[in-house]
């Protein structure tokens, strides 16, 4: 029994050699310090470079955005300035200002051109005033032949002085602006003011000039003025305009200061026809610095008839030429 017990103890307690064989050998793994130390700085440098580039791009982006903002502000400023300068003209007066003609013979100015409703509008009092030398020039012209028959297309306050100078004569004003008529009351000194209505806009000037050159119906023939089919003829003026022989005709109306506004083409043409029905007539055109007044004066009043000029006035002296087939003797008409 003793032997058996000793064997079992030996069996249960193995030797150191058997223990060393039973345990597996685990190799030790060591990380190289050189790899870790080499990779770290590289990663840090890349991060620093990206951060540095971001700092450089930031001012560039701010500059670009600032430029865009400035350009936008400039565009807004330019648009606002343009809008403020293109404001419409003064609003039209109410119909209560309109004044009836001083004679039952008064009618509307008509032509064969399409109608343009310019309507009554308030006119600035000094928008088309004569400068002193122009007023003296016109006053001297009337004084030298007064009393006379004076016809004026247009009405300014200064023109009322002409009716005083022309005492004993006949002075007729043709005006389309009710506001002007309301401001300038005619006296009984042989002066009459007729309200008329023009229907041809200034923008049609070139087409009308071409029409007059190509159509014989526009030739200078006073007997056909009221029945004329020429698009420039004013066919429904007061009867005395056609009946009287005019010594002086002044063209300073309609206003003709915009493409849509009534132009002076028909007034200049009609003045040239009326002038050829008398012995000698002075036709004075105002605002000849403007293209339409200049063109139509050269075309129908003719350069060879120009006797004087003062300021924005041209004075043409026309004798009776009712039998002529054309207005000017020269082959070509000067148009600038």
């Amino acid at each position: 029994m003793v032997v058996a017990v000793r064997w079992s103890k030996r069996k249960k307690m193995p030797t150191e050699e058997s223990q060393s064989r039973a345990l597996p050998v685990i190799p030790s793994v060591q990380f190289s310090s050189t790899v870790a130390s080499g990779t770290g700085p590289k990663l840090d440098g890349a991060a620093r470079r990206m951060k540095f580039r971001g700092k450089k791009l930031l001012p560039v982006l701010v500059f670009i955005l600032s430029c865009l903002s400035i350009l936008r502000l400039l565009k807004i400023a330019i648009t606002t300035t343009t809008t403020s300068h293109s404001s419409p003209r003064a609003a039209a007066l109410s119909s209560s200002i309109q004044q009836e003609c001083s004679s039952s013979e008064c009618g509307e100015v008509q032509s064969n051109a399409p109608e343009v409703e310019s309507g009554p509008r308030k006119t600035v009092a000094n928008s088309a005033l004569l400068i002193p030398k122009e007023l003296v020039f016109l006053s001297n012209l009337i004084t030298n032949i007064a009393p006379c028959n004076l016809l004026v297309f247009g009405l300014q306050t200064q023109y009322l002085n002409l009716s005083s100078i022309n005492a004993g004569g006949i002075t007729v004003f043709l005006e389309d602006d009710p506001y002007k008529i309301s401001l300038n009351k005619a006296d009984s000194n042989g002066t009459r003011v007729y309200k008329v209505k023009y229907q041809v806009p200034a923008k049609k000037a070139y087409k009308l000039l071409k029409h007059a050159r190509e159509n014989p119906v526009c030739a200078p023939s006073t007997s056909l003025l009221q029945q004329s089919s020429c698009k420039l003829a004013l066919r429904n003026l007061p009867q005395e305009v056609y009946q009287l022989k005019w010594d002086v005709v002044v063209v300073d109306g309609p206003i003709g200061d915009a493409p849509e506004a009534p132009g002076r083409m028909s007034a200049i043409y009609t003045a040239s026809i009326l002038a050829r029905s008398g012995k000698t007539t002075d036709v004075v055109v105002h605002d000849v610095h403007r293209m339409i007044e200049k063109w139509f004066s050269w075309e129908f009043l003719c350069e060879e008839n120009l006797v004087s000029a003062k300021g924005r006035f041209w004075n043409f002296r026309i004798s009776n030429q009712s039998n002529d087939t054309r207005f000017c003797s020269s082959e070509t008409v000067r148009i600038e």
Side-chain angles (χ1 to χ4, degrees):
M1 291 294 291
V2 176
V3 175
V5 172
R6 288 179 180 175
W7 182 86
S8 61
K9 287 181 179 179
R10 290 178 182 174
K11 193 71 173 180
K12 290 179 180 180
M13 297 179 64
T15 61
E16 294 180 0
E17 183 180 356
S18 59
Q19 288 180 356
S20 61
R21 291 178 182 175
L23 293 175
V25 179
I26 300 174
S28 61
V29 179
Q30 295 181 356
F31 292 96
S32 174
S33 60
T34 58
V35 175
S37 60
T39 307
K42 290 182 180 180
L43 295 175
D44 291 343
R48 288 194 195 98
R49 283 194 297 272
M50 289 180 65
K51 188 174 181 181
F52 182 71
R53 291 175 183 174
K55 288 182 178 180
K56 271 191 172 182
L57 290 175
L58 184 61
V60 176
L61 292 175
V62 172
F63 176 75
I64 293 174
L65 293 176
S66 300
C67 291
L68 292 175
S69 301
I70 293 173
L71 290 175
R72 187 176 181 182
L73 290 174
L74 288 175
K75 183 179 180 180
I76 294 174
I78 293 173
T79 304
T80 305
T81 305
T82 304
T83 304
S84 64
H85 284 297
S86 60
S87 59
R89 291 177 294 184
L93 291 181
S94 61
S95 58
S96 61
I97 298 179
Q98 296 183 4
Q99 178 176 335
E100 297 296 331
C101 297
S102 58
S103 170
S104 59
E105 294 178 343
C106 176
E108 294 180 350
V109 177
Q110 293 184 356
S111 73
N112 296 323
E115 180 175 354
V116 174
E117 294 288 347
S118 60
R121 57 177 179 166
K122 185 173 181 179
T123 305
V124 181
N126 60 350
S127 61
L129 293 180
L130 304 181
I131 60 178
K133 64 180 180 180
E134 293 174 342
L135 184 59
V136 170
F137 166 76
L138 199 55
S139 299
N140 291 339
L141 178 63
I142 303 302
T143 301
N144 292 335
I145 59 176
C148 65
N149 294 336
L150 170 62
L151 175 64
V152 182
F153 290 87
L155 177 60
Q156 298 289 346
T157 303
Q158 295 164 306
Y159 286 154
L160 295 180
N161 184 50
L162 299 179
S163 62
S164 300
I165 297 175
N166 192 33
I170 297 176
T171 304
V172 173
F173 293 99
L174 305 177
E175 177 56 52
D176 66 327
D177 190 341
Y179 182 73
K180 286 184 179 181
I181 297 176
S182 67
L183 292 179
N184 302 284
K185 301 292 184 180
D187 56 24
S188 58
N189 186 24
T191 302
R192 291 179 282 278
V193 178
Y194 295 109
K195 181 182 179 298
V196 296
K197 183 178 179 182
Y198 297 96
Q199 298 176 329
V200 184
K203 66 182 181 181
K204 292 184 177 293
Y206 179 76
K207 290 183 178 179
L208 290 174
L209 184 61
K210 184 178 180 181
H211 163 79
R213 287 177 172 179
E214 296 175 351
N215 288 273
V217 294
C218 296
S221 177
T222 57
S223 60
L224 300 176
L225 184 58
Q226 289 180 272
Q227 295 81 28
S228 174
S229 59
C230 180
K231 292 182 179 180
L232 286 168
L234 299 179
R235 300 180 290 107
N236 199 21
L237 295 172
Q239 285 300 314
E240 68 174 329
V241 173
Y242 305 108
Q243 293 170 356
L244 291 176
K245 305 299 181 182
W246 299 101
D247 299 298
V248 179
V249 179
V250 179
V251 180
D252 197 11
I255 190 167
D257 61 346
E260 298 296 336
R264 297 180 185 175
M265 302 83 65
S266 295
I268 295 175
Y269 172 83
T270 301
S272 71
I273 296 295
L274 294 174
R276 286 170 169 83
S277 66
K279 291 183 179 180
T280 301
T281 303
D282 284 279
V283 179
V284 184
V285 181
H286 195 221
D287 296 321
V288 292
H289 63 291
R290 302 194 307 201
M291 188 63 68
I292 290 176
E293 284 76 359
K294 185 182 296 184
W295 277 8
F296 281 76
S297 293
W298 287 133
E299 183 76 17
F300 300 114
L301 300 174
C302 307
E303 185 176 5
E304 63 261 24
N305 297 324
L306 182 64
V307 294
S308 60
K310 185 68 67 175
R312 294 168 294 172
F313 271 130
W314 276 352
N315 181 20
F316 298 87
R317 187 159 295 156
I318 299 176
S319 58
N320 189 335
Q321 301 169 352
S322 59
N323 295 326
D324 289 353
T325 57
R326 60 184 182 183
F327 290 92
C328 303
S329 60
S330 57
E331 292 293 335
T332 58
V333 177
R334 175 182 174 183
I335 295 180
E336 298 177 353

